[in-house]
Amino acid sequence: MRKLSFLVSTLLVATTVVVGAAPDAGAEPDDTVSVTVEKAIENLPVAAEESSGYSAGKFRHWTDPDQDGCDTRAEVLIAEATTPPAVDGWCTITGGAWHSYYDKKDHSGTGALGVDHLVPLAEAWRSGASGWTAEERERFANDMDDPRVLAAMTAAEKRRKGDKDPARWEPSDDSADCRYIAEWAAVKGRWKLAVDPGELAALQNMVAECPTEEITYDLAL
């Protein structure tokens, strides 16, 4: 019991909570950031995008880290179901129901669903992931430690979104804007990704509807 108490105390001491200010160079992976959406957007580094060299293959995704037979895509579908589906020993998913918040649509079964990287892989590459290791890109592409990184969405809406950032795309359902930009800021902050000037302007314009909403995320890098 004493050993367990010591372990818990050590973990608590090892976690730094960064409130309000941008995480500085001393911030470590797993440190926690708690901030308003407005401040989170303000804290994101601004840089021009560079797309040369990108391919989706540089982000190894839909892996099965826990080797339970379900890859990351299946794990997201199972985790986000509003009515749990049946899952057999081969990870075949049948039944179930899901809600796609981008377009406010409910789905029975997985036929019309896709699993979306909220910050698309190409956007991540343009925003700093081109400088990551292959292992870091794989971690990003399969990140289930933060449920905002990956989301089950209407496949048609996912296709419309493509690799666009908030300057070029926003959810079909206008009431989803605050959630979308809060999650965008959290994912970019978590992975220390930059925004380009047009993207920043779009985020600042959209955040006027929800400037004081609080978000919390753990640093991945």
Side-chain angles (χ1 to χ4, degrees):
M1 187 68 175
R2 289 165 60 189
K3 184 177 180 181
L4 179 59
S5 297
F6 174 78
L7 178 59
V8 171
S9 298
T10 302
L11 289 171
L12 289 173
V13 169
T15 301
T16 301
V17 179
V18 181
V19 180
D24 59 26
E28 299 287 341
D30 297 325
D31 283 354
T32 299
V33 178
S34 184
V35 68
T36 65
V37 178
E38 185 174 53
K39 191 66 176 177
I41 292 168
E42 180 184 318
N43 288 343
L44 294 171
V46 182
E49 292 186 342
E50 175 53 62
S51 60
S52 62
Y54 169 74
S55 73
K58 292 184 177 179
F59 293 80
R60 184 168 175 256
H61 54 293
W62 306 159
T63 59
D64 182 13
D66 59 7
Q67 298 184 330
D68 66 349
C70 291
D71 64 18
T72 308
R73 183 183 185 280
E75 298 277 15
V76 171
L77 290 171
I78 294 165
E80 295 195 358
T82 54
T83 299
V87 184
D88 67 17
W90 292 272
C91 202
T92 302
I93 299 172
T94 54
W98 287 262
H99 178 74
S100 169
Y101 89 81
Y102 287 176
D103 54 355
K104 208 173 183 178
K105 289 186 177 178
D106 294 310
H107 297 275
S108 296
T110 63
L113 286 174
V115 172
D116 187 45
H117 288 90
L118 183 87
V119 174
L121 300 180
E123 169 64 20
W125 177 272
R126 296 191 295 258
S127 304
S130 59
W132 293 352
T133 65
E135 186 272 337
E136 287 168 340
R137 288 194 288 270
E138 181 176 339
R139 282 177 52 215
F140 172 80
N142 299 278
D143 184 5
M144 287 195 65
D145 291 331
D146 188 316
R148 293 167 288 203
V149 178
L150 294 162
M153 294 294 159
T154 303
E157 186 80 347
K158 179 181 181 295
R159 287 191 294 272
R160 283 190 288 271
K161 176 174 176 252
D163 68 349
K164 303 178 184 71
D165 66 27
R168 298 183 294 148
W169 183 89
E170 60 184 80
S172 297
D173 177 30
D174 290 341
S175 69
D177 283 357
C178 282
R179 176 177 174 180
Y180 172 60
I181 63 168
E183 295 191 352
W184 186 275
V187 174
K188 283 224 161 175
R190 170 172 167 76
W191 285 93
K192 297 185 177 179
L193 292 169
V195 292
D196 65 70
E199 176 187 350
L200 176 62
L203 289 169
Q204 289 173 330
N205 182 59
M206 294 167 73
V207 82
E209 300 176 23
C210 40
T212 60
E213 181 178 342
E214 292 275 346
I215 56 172
T216 299
Y217 58 87
D218 295 335
L219 295 175
L221 296 176

